[in-house]
Amino acid sequence: MLKEIINSRRSVRKFKEDKVDHELLEELLKYSLMGPSYGNARPVQFVIVEDQETLNTLSNIETFGTKYIADAPAVIIIMADRDLSETWVEECSIAASYFQLLAQEAGLNTSWANLKEGTTKDGVEIQQFARELFNLPKNMSTLCMIPVGYGNDKIRKRVDFDPSPKIHYNKY
Ligand SMILES: Cc1cc2nc3c(=O)[nH]c(=O)nc-3n(C[C@H](O)[C@H](O)[C@H](O)COP(=O)(O)O)c2cc1C
């Protein structure tokens, strides 16, 4: 049930050492590309990172928020071709969200880390850093990285909440 998957998904930052099967990963990524897309432009692409040296480099870009990436079995870099779409951020966000839910359904766990804005702790602009690290052409921009694996952490139970203060009819 989709509602159960949404409710049970929490960010997980500790993983078992088990690798994620490539066939499974590619199937989940295929379905992640099936969301709505402005003008059906479909600009999103992925880089799957499993190489330990690259995972270490990614985990070191910030002083907080990305450290745990070094211990993930894989990280999905979500990016899009800006030549195909001005709405590349929305397109990447849809793919990232779909992927997190699909992974949850498959018994995997994920988190989300910024790979769009700011600078690395060495002062390199993030897009330039990603372009060099992944050999990206100039028209590709990265949004985020999604560590994925079999979680090895306590899952915090979601606290139920009343959504009504956030829902408005006709006017705010
Ligand atoms: C745009 C965005 C950026 C995020 N950046 C980070 C990050 O850099 N590091 C991290 O550990 N989690 C990051 N997260 C995950 C959030 O911290 C997490 O979703 C939030 O605390 C809610 O917890 P939950 O995902 O378990 O519901 C990010 C989430 C989003 C949507």
Side-chain angles (χ1 to χ4, degrees):
M1 281 282 292
L2 185 55
K3 278 188 262 184
E4 282 165 26
I5 292 160
I6 290 171
N7 191 42
S8 61
R9 184 216 56 80
R10 300 306 310 260
S11 295
V12 167
R13 300 176 178 89
K14 284 185 190 149
F15 298 97
K16 296 179 182 157
E17 283 183 9
D18 306 54
K19 292 281 172 208
V20 185
D21 179 68
H22 280 185
E23 208 177 315
L24 170 63
L25 214 44
E26 288 181 30
E27 188 194 24
L28 301 182
L29 292 174
K30 174 183 173 180
Y31 280 82
S32 304
L33 291 172
M34 291 187 189
S37 176
Y38 183 61
N40 206 16
R42 311 246 165 240
V44 175
Q45 296 190 33
F46 308 107
V47 171
I48 301 171
V49 180
E50 293 177 315
D51 165 56
Q52 190 59 55
E53 203 181 314
T54 311
L55 292 172
N56 292 345
T57 304
L58 290 169
S59 85
N60 272 322
I61 62 175
E62 282 183 329
T63 48
F64 65 95
T66 57
K67 273 275 164 243
Y68 63 94
I69 281 178
D71 299 323
V75 172
I76 311 299
I77 310 297
I78 305 208
M79 60 187 67
D81 184 340
R82 291 185 326 281
D83 285 352
L84 291 180
S85 179
E86 284 179 17
T87 56
W88 70 271
V89 173
E90 292 88 331
E91 309 274 344
C92 285
S93 302
I94 291 166
S97 299
Y98 272 38
F99 178 73
Q100 288 198 290
L101 296 180
L102 285 157
Q104 185 73 27
E105 183 187 47
L108 292 159
N109 299 101
T110 59
S111 183
W112 180 312
N114 167 55
L115 198 63
K116 176 173 177 271
E117 279 166 338
T119 55
T120 68
K121 67 178 185 196
D122 299 327
V124 182
E125 195 268 319
I126 289 285
Q127 292 297 331
Q128 189 195 328
F129 163 82
R131 199 167 299 129
E132 283 170 16
L133 186 63
F134 300 116
N135 211 12
L136 302 178
K138 280 217 151 51
N139 49 312
M140 298 301 292
S141 286
T142 55
L143 179 77
C144 61
M145 36 193 181
I146 308 284
V148 58
Y150 296 94
N152 196 13
D153 207 0
K154 265 208 183 124
I155 308 283
R156 293 163 297 135
K157 243 187 154 227
R158 192 175 296 283
V159 179
D160 195 23
F161 65 98
D162 171 15
S164 58
K166 300 195 178 196
I167 301 173
H168 314 278
Y169 285 94
N170 301 316
K171 283 191 199 297
Y172 185 81

